[in-house]
Amino acid sequence: SFPTRRSSDLAAIKPLPDAVNQSPPSASIRKDLGYAYLKIGEAEWAREMFAQAVRLAPGDDHAALEVAFLLYETGEHGEAFQTLARLRDSPDAQVAATAQTTYERIDEEWTREIERWEAVIEDDPLNRSVQLELGGLYEKHGRPERAVERYLAAWLVPSDQPRDPILLKLARARGAAGDADGAAGAWLLASRS
C-alpha cells in the first residue's frame, strides 16, 4: 500500500512502513515516515502520514501545520485554508504565528483574485468559465453561499457543453452552505443527467 520509488529511496525508508504496520498506533512513527516521504518527494503520502499522526495525537499542532502545508501543496486548498484558520488559535505561539502569516497571505491572494474575476463578470455576466472559476475560489475561501450563486449563474448560461459537472459543484457548495435539500436536489439531478 506504499508507493514505490527508486530502490535507493525505498531502501532508506523501508523499515518505517513496516514499523507503522506492526506497531501499536504511534503518532511519532507516522511523523517520521511523513518526513521521510517528504525527503523523497512523495507529498501525498507524507500528507497521509501526518494526518494519521494528528488523528492519533489531536493536540500536535506542529503535525497539523504540516498537514495544512501538504494539503495546500497537493491541491486541497480549501481544506488547507480551514486548517490554517483553526491553527491561528493554537496555544503554541510559533504554530499560531506561522498559521496566521500563511493564512493572511493566502487570504490576500484569493481576495485579489476574486475581485479581479468579479470585475470580469460585471463586463461579461455570461462568461461561464469565469463564473465557475469564481465559484471555486469562493468554495476554497470558505464562502459556500457565494459559490452557490456563481455555480447557479454558470448553470444558467446557455452552452453546448455539458452542464453535469456544474451540478456536482453546486451540490457540494450547497451542502457546505448548510442547504441539505438543495444539495440533495442537485445530486439527484446530476445522477439523472
Side-chain angles (χ1 to χ4, degrees), residues 4-33:
T4 56
R5 283 294 227 159
R6 295 187 320 258
S7 59
S8 61
D9 291 339
L10 191 56
I13 63 169
K14 186 171 179 3
L16 289 172
D18 292 338
V20 167
N21 291 329
Q22 295 173 5
S23 71
S26 168
S28 65
I29 289 175
R30 282 162 176 79
K31 285 170 55 175
D32 289 344
L33 185 53

Side-chain angles (χ1 to χ4, degrees), residues 139 142-149 170-180 183:
E139 256 191 295
R143 297 164 67 186
E145 296 85 0
R146 293 300 309 245
V148 167
E149 291 172 14
L170 179 60
R172 185 181 59 232
R174 280 185 164 167
D179 179 7

Side-chain angles (χ1 to χ4, degrees), residues 61-176:
D61 286 348
H62 285 278
L65 190 60
E66 292 288 357
V67 171
F69 290 140
L70 289 165
L71 282 166
Y72 196 85
E73 183 180 330
T74 58
E76 302 291 331
H77 298 146
E79 194 175 342
F81 192 66
Q82 298 309 313
T83 303
L84 289 167
R86 181 182 59 78
L87 290 172
R88 293 180 303 167
D89 296 326
S90 172
D92 183 311
Q94 181 183 9
V95 169
T98 301
Q100 180 68 35
T101 301
T102 308
Y103 178 93
E104 287 173 357
R105 182 182 51 79
I106 294 169
D107 181 57
E108 183 179 317
E109 176 186 325
W110 288 351
T111 299
R112 278 195 315 269
E113 260 189 274
I114 286 170
E115 288 170 356
R116 183 170 59 93
W117 288 119
E118 286 286 359
V120 171
I121 285 297
E122 281 184 33
D123 293 337
D124 185 8
L126 297 179
N127 190 324
R128 183 179 182 194
S129 62
V130 172
Q131 296 282 11
L132 291 172
E133 181 71 26
L134 266 168
L137 281 167
Y138 280 126
E139 256 191 295
K140 290 189 306 189
H141 207 233
R143 297 164 67 186
E145 296 85 0
R146 293 300 309 245
V148 167
E149 291 172 14
R150 291 304 167 196
Y151 291 144
L152 281 172
W155 170 260
L156 296 173
V157 173
S159 175
D160 58 351
Q161 296 180 2
R163 296 189 295 174
D164 302 351
I166 298 172
L167 287 172
L168 301 175
K169 294 171 189 280
L170 179 60
R172 185 181 59 232
R174 280 185 164 167

